[in-house]
Amino acid sequence: MDRMFRVLAFWTGIFAVMFYAGDMMEAAFLSLAQTAFFLAIGYLKLSERMYVYIFFSYLTVFMIGFTYYSSFILVPSFGSH
């Protein structure tokens, strides 16, 4: 299970580089923070149950943050700048 967190770190690192290349700095820094989080967790050598608890906690925090952002902060538009 620790390897899966390192795989998540790899893919969020790829997203960070792509966001940076696309000049989307906020998303790049957020992805870089997620990369550091997943990489740090991946090397802790915890039990599989603890890894599952951490992953479900991460998903819960993500969904709460995404719902808050999309409900209260996001201005609906269809591609117009």
Side-chain angles (χ1 to χ4, degrees):
M1 195 70 175
D2 55 344
R3 289 182 186 171
M4 291 314 299
F5 274 88
R6 284 180 256 170
V7 169
L8 284 170
F10 170 77
W11 284 112
T12 54
I14 295 295
F15 274 91
V17 170
M18 297 295 271
F19 283 137
Y20 182 75
D23 200 32
M24 302 171 69
M25 294 304 166
E26 294 87 3
F29 290 138
L30 184 61
S31 294
L32 193 62
Q34 289 178 350
T35 301
F37 170 74
F38 286 139
L39 200 59
I41 296 296
Y43 283 106
L44 285 181
K45 299 293 183 190
L46 301 171
S47 67
E48 187 168 347
R49 177 178 288 183
M50 195 64 195
Y51 279 121
V52 170
Y53 287 158
I54 291 171
F55 185 66
F56 285 152
S57 301
Y58 169 77
L59 288 180
T60 302
V61 169
F62 169 78
M63 285 307 297
I64 290 170
F66 180 75
T67 303
Y68 176 79
Y69 174 78
S70 62
S71 297
F72 300 113
I73 298 174
L74 181 67
V75 177
S77 65
F78 293 100
S80 62
H81 295 277

